[in-house]
Amino acid sequence: PRFFFLSSISAHVFFLLRFQWRTRRKTRNKMGKVSYMKLKGSQNLRIRLLLATLSTKSIIIEDIRADATWPGLRPHEVSFLRLLEKVCDDCVVEINETGTKLKYKPGIIMGGRHLVHDCGVSRSISYFLEPLIVLGLFGKKPLTIRLKGITNDSKDPSIDTFRSTTLPILKQFGVPAEGLELKIESRGVAPKGGGEVVLSVPMVPNSLKAIKWVDEGLVKRIRGVSFSTRVSVQFENTMIHAARGILNPFLSDVHIFTDHKAGAQAGMSPGYGISLVAETTSGCVISVDTAVSYSRGEDDADLEDDRKDLIPAEEVGEQIASALLGEIKQGGVVDSTHQGLLFLLCALCPKDVSEVRVGKLSPYGIEALRHIRDFLGVKFVMKPDASTGTVNLMCLGSGFQNLSRKVS
């Protein structure tokens, strides 16, 4: 309805103005002559802010959805800026009245324990996890933070994928296994969320380790986790049966765990989903996941009057199993959703050559390569392999070191 739309816009504008006033008051008289890198558009805002923080380059981003019906920054983007303020000291954020222009001056990555951040329900917690874990590696102190919001979403990788796939990728680069952990306190799906996780990230003592990671190996087993919140556990059993029906003809070692949540641990909305991970003989982990729940308010204006039926659990299981086979077929040491993180970690390595192999370059992976070049000055040499359809990438690391760490 028109009243709901106008009230949402007003609340969003008020949110931006309050955030702008707070940051300006905090940073008044701190803004000297600063050289800003100028960027345009809302694309890849998260990786731009991450790389700006790591490279200590101040940026100005203009024309952020300037022509959209609802112009300016979205709630999850403003929430990410607030998160940066919590883990960094002395960073400066300025947003204009319409939210279409952002000034960001990075500060010192501090880390810290017992931090808490509400991610909201505009995007899932995983949207914040990937940049947060990279920042935590180069903080002054180890990072422990509790994040609240949506844990499983079809837009972003799930927390199950993050725990089973993202964390092992970090270990390939020499990140200490001790202190690297993600605990799932409760699950929450769209539209109301209600999930909580606790992320612990250790400091990198000095720098990451350059790698040569080109052998994807052969798939030796498949593991997975299915979940359900505020619905019958039968949804999980149906998804597992459908997924195994597609995977078992190729591999007998397939085991999918169930994680049915009820009460306070089930969040505030009904939903279900599944995450699958293929483990290879060379230590690679290829993952896919999905979640099914009711739409958010902005996704479906008539949600309250006419709720659409959820995708059948059997169809979800079949689709996710087929998606995993597709990722395996593409080849590479990581799946398509982790290409950007892989390239960033290679660029942050010492001044030594790193070499990795991926499947078809994803759009996000391509944008990550461009921004790594612009912020860190690291260029990748790409050699496509026509016989396998994969791409070999090599780069000389930027020599990035954890200069913020507290020396004992």
Side-chain angles (χ1 to χ4, degrees):
R2 185 178 302 173
F3 176 79
F4 174 78
F5 177 75
L6 291 176
S7 64
S8 299
I9 296 295
S10 301
H12 182 61
V13 172
F14 174 75
F15 182 59
L16 289 175
L17 289 176
R18 185 176 67 172
F19 182 67
Q20 176 191 21
W21 172 79
R22 183 171 62 86
T23 53
R24 281 184 173 177
R25 185 182 67 170
K26 177 181 175 182
T27 60
R28 189 170 294 165
N29 299 327
K30 290 185 179 181
M31 296 286 292
K33 290 185 178 180
V34 180
S35 177
Y36 286 91
M37 175 188 293
K38 293 187 177 181
L39 304 167
K40 285 189 176 183
S42 61
Q43 299 84 4
N44 305 296
L45 179 69
R46 182 179 56 163
I47 193 171
R48 287 174 172 178
L49 292 171
L50 171 60
L51 285 168
T53 305
L54 292 172
S55 62
T56 66
K57 291 183 179 179
S58 301
I59 60 174
I60 293 179
I61 305 178
E62 300 177 321
D63 297 333
I64 302 174
R65 303 184 183 91
D67 299 327
T69 304
W70 186 358
L73 295 168
R74 295 292 183 257
H76 60 273
E77 295 167 338
V78 178
S79 180
F80 181 62
L81 288 166
R82 284 187 162 180
L83 179 60
L84 290 175
E85 281 197 323
K86 289 181 180 178
V87 299
C88 299
D89 185 34
D90 202 30
C91 70
V92 178
V93 178
E94 287 190 15
I95 306 170
N96 69 351
E97 288 77 4
T98 59
T100 57
K101 183 177 179 179
L102 166 67
K103 281 187 178 181
Y104 176 70
K105 178 179 175 293
I108 300 172
I109 306 171
M110 298 297 295
R113 298 189 182 276
H114 310 298
L115 301 178
V116 180
H117 183 71
D118 189 343
C119 301
V121 294
S122 180
R123 292 291 288 267
S124 76
I125 292 174
S126 295
Y127 174 86
F128 303 83
L129 280 177
E130 182 178 312
L132 184 60
I133 199 168
V134 176
L135 291 175
L137 295 175
F138 300 100
K140 189 174 182 180
K141 296 176 289 186
L143 174 66
T144 301
I145 184 169
R146 180 181 295 271
L147 301 171
K148 303 179 181 180
I150 293 174
T151 58
N152 298 82
D153 195 317
S154 58
K155 291 184 177 180
D156 302 294
S158 70
I159 53 173
D160 302 289
T161 294
F162 191 88
R163 186 165 59 175
S164 64
T165 305
T166 309
L167 298 186
I169 291 175
L170 294 175
K171 295 174 185 177
Q172 294 279 347
F173 289 85
V175 176
E178 184 178 357
L180 185 62
E181 186 180 18
L182 179 69
K183 294 181 180 179
I184 303 173
E185 300 286 340
S186 61
R187 291 187 184 269
V189 298
K192 297 181 180 179
E196 288 190 21
V197 303
V198 178
L199 174 68
S200 300
V201 185
M203 296 183 303
V204 172
N206 188 22
S207 63
L208 298 176
K209 179 184 69 175
I211 63 170
K212 182 176 182 180
W213 196 15
V214 295
D215 179 18
E216 58 262 43
L218 301 174
V219 177
K220 62 180 181 180
R221 60 173 171 256
I222 293 175
R223 296 292 182 263
V225 176
S226 67
F227 80 91
S228 59
T229 60
R230 300 193 178 277
V231 296
S232 170
V233 69
Q234 186 60 36
F235 283 87
E236 296 184 60
N237 298 329
T238 303
M239 286 187 296
I240 293 173
H241 180 75
R244 289 181 63 95
I246 291 179
L247 297 173
N248 279 137
F250 299 97
L251 189 69
S252 60
D253 192 358
V254 178
H255 191 83
I256 305 173
F257 299 90
T258 60
D259 185 20
H260 178 70
K261 296 295 186 183
Q265 292 185 329
M268 294 182 286
S269 296
Y272 49 89
I274 186 170
S275 170
L276 298 178
V277 179
E279 302 176 17
T280 73
T281 53
S282 61
C284 300
V285 282
I286 309 297
S287 64
V288 293
D289 63 68
T290 190
V292 179
S293 63
Y294 291 111
S295 302
R296 298 178 178 85
E298 65 268 22
D299 295 336
D300 188 352
D302 300 323
L303 173 64
E304 297 299 328
D305 299 328
D306 183 20
R307 281 192 167 185
K308 296 181 179 179
D309 292 334
L310 298 180
I311 301 174
E314 182 179 5
E315 187 176 334
V316 173
E318 293 173 349
Q319 288 179 354
I320 200 67
S322 300
L324 180 62
L325 294 177
E327 287 286 354
I328 296 172
K329 182 180 179 181
Q330 284 193 29
V333 296
V334 299
D335 53 72
S336 56
T337 59
H338 285 90
Q339 289 182 9
L341 176 63
L342 178 67
F343 301 153
L344 176 57
L345 293 173
C346 289
L348 294 174
C349 283
K351 291 187 176 181
D352 197 359
V353 176
S354 289
E355 182 180 0
V356 293
R357 180 193 298 270
V358 299
K360 180 181 178 182
L361 287 172
S362 65
Y364 178 68
I366 294 172
E367 290 299 323
L369 290 172
R370 291 171 177 167
H371 284 90
I372 289 169
R373 175 199 61 196
D374 296 339
F375 282 91
L376 300 178
V378 175
K379 297 181 180 180
F380 284 75
V381 177
M382 292 179 281
K383 295 182 179 180
D385 187 342
S387 62
T388 62
T390 58
V391 182
N392 267 38
L393 296 98
M394 291 183 292
C395 76
L396 184 66
S398 62
F400 194 86
Q401 293 183 333
N402 186 5
L403 301 178
S404 302
R405 67 188 177 94
K406 187 176 181 180
V407 180
S408 56

